[in-house]
């Protein structure tokens, strides 16, 4: 069964911390049944069944409803979103997961052990542990981005279009992560302001710490975005510079050889009366003229600092 | 008649929820008559008759005046604005619509049914249902934009001007939607701060939820705008890159063949005294010279990494 | 005389609303005399005589000092600033105008009529009417800008420099209007916070409405600015695109005909020993070679998608 | 002596306003002696001796410490910073100046006159007068910038690089002034919030006025910056446009004459068997072919709207 | 030993200020031992052992935990981060350093002297001295950046790619420093709001001063960033300008000599019937024609202001 803890046990031990992991949130009937059991608000149940756009926290009479989202890179390198719904009561806590998550599995395994330290703490500590895990995961994602960017920056000199596509992808990833982290910041802020007994004073300190990490992380992703934009501008300037160089070369070749070809063309004309053609040193003279012209143009280039 | 509920009925049943849908707000006389009946402020009536620029909410002594606006895509793919004026009293609610709206029709039809659940709730719940509908509609619009953008991004490699026009149109749409959503955010914020009994405490919770959706939606449209700008920059960089490539090709062709043509031009001159012309291997020697020159230039290109 | 109301009358009827329109604020002596009569602060008199940079409101012991500014388009299409100084006391109101204004004239004419509705209201309502007029005027100016921009956007495809100049002018106008509207917003905000009895509670509602209009207007001018910037970027991208197209054409023509000219140049050389020249089918063979070369280059273009 | 007032006199007349102007703040010993005399905080003395980066105000037990900075254009057109340190006590005021300042001199001269109006007011009014002077001076600087920009904008059409350098310089000046004005805004804000008796209620009004001027000034310099950026973008677009035009001309010349030269090249080949060469009307026919080709290309240009 | 003060001594003299410098924070065992001795929170110990991303301050029951970070330029010119962990109790203070720091060494040496002034003050003054040192160090770093930028701006006219790389590096450095200074601002802000007795009222004044310096510094680094962006834009415009110039030259050379070459090519054709070839003045006439054509094109250039 998808139930990690069993429902009846929950009633039996009202004093101790109870937790329940629910897989397969698309199963409407089950969610409704649980909603009735835990007296959840209809809006909460709606949000559990439909994926929400943004992490959020909502304060109800005696429980908090939290939706966490994080990004996982699949095999093809794209980022996919995973979502966790959380009901935090002061004595119990229910987790709603669509499917097993690599991120949460180690924590859940610790939780399932009889005498784990995690079990002895209140449900609010469990929530802290999860939020901390998610923030750390974002931190890792941002650091991945940061490393990807550094690798990319080394290939910016490579004149083919590849870095452009990769930069664009990085930009998209950074944008997605930033959007999530901003939601995470709002969420943590809200947790720190919560008045309900569901969050104990000692745990509050831990949430302050995790809030701090989220801020650092947001800081860093914004810095990565700034760096990506700088890299893009740099790349753009480099393309312009290279175009400049290429065009200077074409201009030099064209400016020298087009006039020379013209001079050669003149003495290739078939007029019957062209005295130069009959001169003894006509050919060397023409060659000298060409040399003079090309030297003149080269000197012009030198003076213009195009060379 | 455009009246969906009848005026006299309203007086008869003061306790139950009454609602009135008024079509054709350009009919000044009717609006004035209704204004007198419901003791509306002159400013409210002015706003009902003239289309306002921005969604808004205004708090009067015993009623709220709300103007909602949403965007509908017509057949030619352009966005058109529809507007709804709303007077929310704690016992009744009047809706002012210019003409029948596809968006509201299903809800109004449910409302007209005798025993609909909607009728049993207070008028504030009706307003919630409408605002929720409008926000959901914006969410759909933003998702449409998002999909349009994804389609467009795949055609960015296409070197003709079409994506530029489409990107511009997307940008305009996103801008319009954002402006509306910002107004919606302000409106929801104001509803949450309203002190009047017209909004019951239970409904307040629903409005918080709809506010949340509006924020998500605003978040997403800003993200779409950011993506459009990124796509534009990407497109611009790609044009530059392509220009670079084209110019490199021209430079290569020009730099190789213009000097060669010049050499051919030299031996096409008609000087009487050109010893090379009489050499036995003059022709192969000239060809060899040309080959050498072109190899030299190609090697220069190679070294410059232009090839 | 420039006095629309007479000074002595003011003393005679202290209970009723009194208003005074003063033209020619550059007349220092008159302003000083009036300042003494109404016990104005020296700073107020200074601001009345010298044109101020920014609309403002200042709260003194028993009166408000308001400076309004608006833009009027002169015959040559440039925007000119007009300024109105206003002293609002709870029983009287003085207007200081440099010269007759087309914008205020209709209102002043209504005011001068014996039994006008405007006269029956307090001086605060008169101020509301003026501020409303000014905001409406800004709204019209912004809409003019918006229409000018739409006209311009249709001519963006026109490849000469004209739209660039016009866009720049639009940008300047939008910037000026935005600066004024931001000052207007601050001014309205300040009026709404004023504690003095000079603004009655009923009028407060009207000012809230006008504040709302100012916000809408600011919203719209910022949207126009955003659109202008988008149009500029679009225009810039289009220039790049067009350059691309032109250069592709030059590259194609150059890449095909420069090599062909070179081949023709070879067989134009005058070497005595050129066996090809004596072949029977030398000429058709050369033509075939040229055809092959040009087809090869065209195919390269095709593959590169430059064609 | 650099002392404008004498130290002993200060003790003798504790009731009247005393002021002291100290030149040469680099003289550490003198500053220390004064610091001891006026019981200044060590941090204040440190700031007096070392030039600070930013204008500031600091509130101590019974005095305010204010550092003002302004910009003076030297002969070579660069902006130089002058600094004034100010200790404002409720009965006296000390000014610390590195050297005589053209800006403050007229005011100090008025102050040194026995019966000047300035002397009769409290030291806080003197500070107001100085701050007002400094803000007015910034206003003039910003207006100078604004005029420089207008002059520049007229020369933007001039195709050499000069305006670019000048625009850059303007940008730097505007940036420096804005940074100073932002500090001035903070300073004025702080003065308005000061609780000490050193600022009397009547003077508070004057500071509000000067704060207003500073805001106007900041507003204007930001507007100048926006205009500079617009001018830069405009200039950039114009360069692109001009490049476009130049390249279109080259493309036209190249596209027409390169193919024609090729045709001429063909009939310049020396094959023995070229039947056209022997035709009677071969030459006119070749000329006609060239005419046809060039007309065809011109028509292509026309259709592409490049002409 | 890495202990600058000894642990037992700390217990013996509870009244006097005690300080302890711990090197080698990677030594987990030692940190744990110290943590137990000073009753540090587990989160503090975690942050001490792992380098944190961002400077921070955390308020615990009876001590403050502060992490400071600063940048040191190594021999190869790159910036490296050094970190200091600080526990500030009202009677003692512990510093955790990974390794000896050039920045702190002079201060620590003063601290180790028996009768140093630093020892007589409370531990909060020591913290002030350190924070002041770090802010001053940032100020120096920013000034270094500022000077580097000025040097760079002089070489912007140099047409090779070097300044682009250097500008990019400057941009990265400025970004890193800004991120750190923003954290420093938050940290100082938090210190000023601290309620614990660990910061005495007199020291608060010093922290206000250091906060002031940090703000100035942040101000300046943002100004440097703005200047870097301006320099980049300037550089980009200059590349475009130079491309323009180069292309104008190519266009001029091409437009003049390509048509001339074509004319020469015509009279190089071998048609048997070309009457011009037999004219007496055919050659001079052809030369005159060429001169006319080139003059015409030059005049066209003149009129277009391309010359």
């Amino acid at each position: 069964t998808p139930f990690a803890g069993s429902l009846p046990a929950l009633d039996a031990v009202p004093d101790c911390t109870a937790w329940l992991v629910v897989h397969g949130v698309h199963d409407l009937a089950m969610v409704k049944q649980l909603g009735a059991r835990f007296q959840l608000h209809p809006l909460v149940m709606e949000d559990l069944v439909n994926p929400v756009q943004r992490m959020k926290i909502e304060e109800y009479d005696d429980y908090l409803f939290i939706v966490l989202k994080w990004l996982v890179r699949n095999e093809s390198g794209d980022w996919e979103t995973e979502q966790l719904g959380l009901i935090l009561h002061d004595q119990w806590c229910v987790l709603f997961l669509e499917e097993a998550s690599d991120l949460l599995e180690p924590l859940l395994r610790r939780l399932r052990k009889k005498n784990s330290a995690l079990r002895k703490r209140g449900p609010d500590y469990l929530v802290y542990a999860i939020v901390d895990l998610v923030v750390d995961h974002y931190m890792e994602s941002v650091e991945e981005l940061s490393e990807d960017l550094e690798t990319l920056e080394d290939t910016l000199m490579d004149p083919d279009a590849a870095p452009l596509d990769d930069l664009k992808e990085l930009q998209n990833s950074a944008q997605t992560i930033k959007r999530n982290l901003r939601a995470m910041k709002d969420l943590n802020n809200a947790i720190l302001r919560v008045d309900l007994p569901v969050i104990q004073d000692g745990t509050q300190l831990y949430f302050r710490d995790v809030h701090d990490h989220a801020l650092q992380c947001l800081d860093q992703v914004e810095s990565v975005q700034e760096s990506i934009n700088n890299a893009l501008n740099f790349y753009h300037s480099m393309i312009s510079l290279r175009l400049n160089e290429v065009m200077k070369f074409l201009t030099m070749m064209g400016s020298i050889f087009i006039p020379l070809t013209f001079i050669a063309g003149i003495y290739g004309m078939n007029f019957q009366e062209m005295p130069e053609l009959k001169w003894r040193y006509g050919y060397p003279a023409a060659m000298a003229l060409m040399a003079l012209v090309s030297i003149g143009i080269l000197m012009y280039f030198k003076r213009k600092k195009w060379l």
Side-chain angles (χ1 to χ4, degrees), chain A residues 5-243:
Chain A
S6 69
L7 226 51
L10 204 64
D11 290 293
V13 285
D15 294 342
C16 88
T17 298
W19 43 265
L20 188 67
V21 180
V22 183
H23 287 288
V25 286
H26 55 263
D27 182 349
L28 193 60
M30 186 179 69
V31 169
K32 272 198 171 164
Q33 181 193 343
L34 282 163
R37 166 73 190 73
F38 293 110
Q39 293 172 305
L40 300 182
H41 197 276
L43 287 170
V44 168
M45 284 191 281
E46 198 188 311
D47 281 339
L48 280 173
V49 177
N50 304 316
V52 302
Q53 239 73 33
R54 202 174 190 256
M55 288 195 248
K56 65 174 172 180
I57 181 167
E58 276 170 2
E59 204 169 320
Y60 288 92
D61 285 344
D62 56 350
Y63 60 90
L64 286 180
F65 172 53
I66 299 174
V67 181
L68 293 174
K69 290 160 74 78
W70 60 92
L71 297 167
V72 174
R73 217 171 200 167
N74 62 13
E75 300 82 39
S76 60
D78 295 327
W79 297 92
E80 274 175 9
T81 300
E82 292 188 355
Q83 177 172 333
L84 168 73
L86 242 164
I87 311 287
L88 174 60
H89 189 270
D90 57 348
Q91 280 170 337
W92 46 262
C93 167
V94 192
L95 314 178
F96 296 86
L97 268 171
E98 180 56 39
E99 45 190 63
S101 153
D102 287 348
L103 181 64
L104 295 184
E105 209 40 59
L107 190 134
L108 296 181
R109 220 174 299 128
R110 272 162 61 204
L111 196 63
R112 286 192 197 97
K113 277 194 204 138
K114 267 273 158 66
N115 301 311
S116 69
L118 210 53
R119 273 195 173 191
K120 286 168 197 155
R121 309 267 201 145
D124 52 347
Y125 187 82
L126 175 63
V127 172
Y128 153 72
I130 292 172
V131 175
D132 192 40
L133 216 63
V134 171
V135 170
D136 279 359
H137 182 71
Y138 274 112
M139 193 64 105
E140 280 166 34
S141 305
V142 174
E143 268 157 26
E144 256 179 77
L145 279 191
S146 193
E147 280 161 29
D148 288 3
L149 179 60
E150 269 177 48
T151 321
L152 254 183
E153 283 192 335
D154 296 339
T155 67
L156 276 186
M157 304 301 290
D158 188 6
D160 60 69
L164 202 54
D165 285 315
D166 291 350
L167 272 173
K168 181 140 210 309
E169 218 164 280
L170 261 188
Q171 210 172 34
N172 287 345
S173 304
Q175 198 184 332
T176 311
I177 290 179
K178 193 181 76 180
R179 219 168 64 220
N180 277 297
L181 279 169
R182 268 209 299 237
M184 177 57 97
K185 191 188 73 175
D186 294 351
L187 192 153
N188 276 319
N189 250 330
I191 289 184
L192 292 177
R193 280 194 314 263
V194 158
D195 257 342
L196 299 183
V198 297
I199 308 247
Q200 292 161 19
D201 284 2
T203 323
Q204 200 79 355
L205 220 68
Y206 287 96
F207 276 111
R208 207 184 61 187
D209 193 61
V210 95
H211 182 50
D212 200 70
H213 281 124
L215 286 186
Q216 282 174 33
C217 195
L218 189 57
D219 215 57
Q220 210 176 335
V221 78
E222 281 173 353
S223 180
V224 167
Q225 281 193 314
E226 207 178 324
S227 299
I228 292 172
N229 284 331
N230 289 347
L232 262 173
N233 284 336
F234 175 71
Y235 184 64
H236 200 82
S237 289
M238 247 191 44
I239 295 178
S240 296
L241 254 184
R242 208 177 289 142
L243 181 61

Side-chain angles (χ1 to χ4, degrees), chain A residues 249-262:
Chain A
F249 188 73
L250 175 59
T251 300
M252 201 185 65
M253 295 305 274
S255 306
I256 291 174
F257 287 104
I258 292 175
L260 297 192
T261 305
F262 164 63

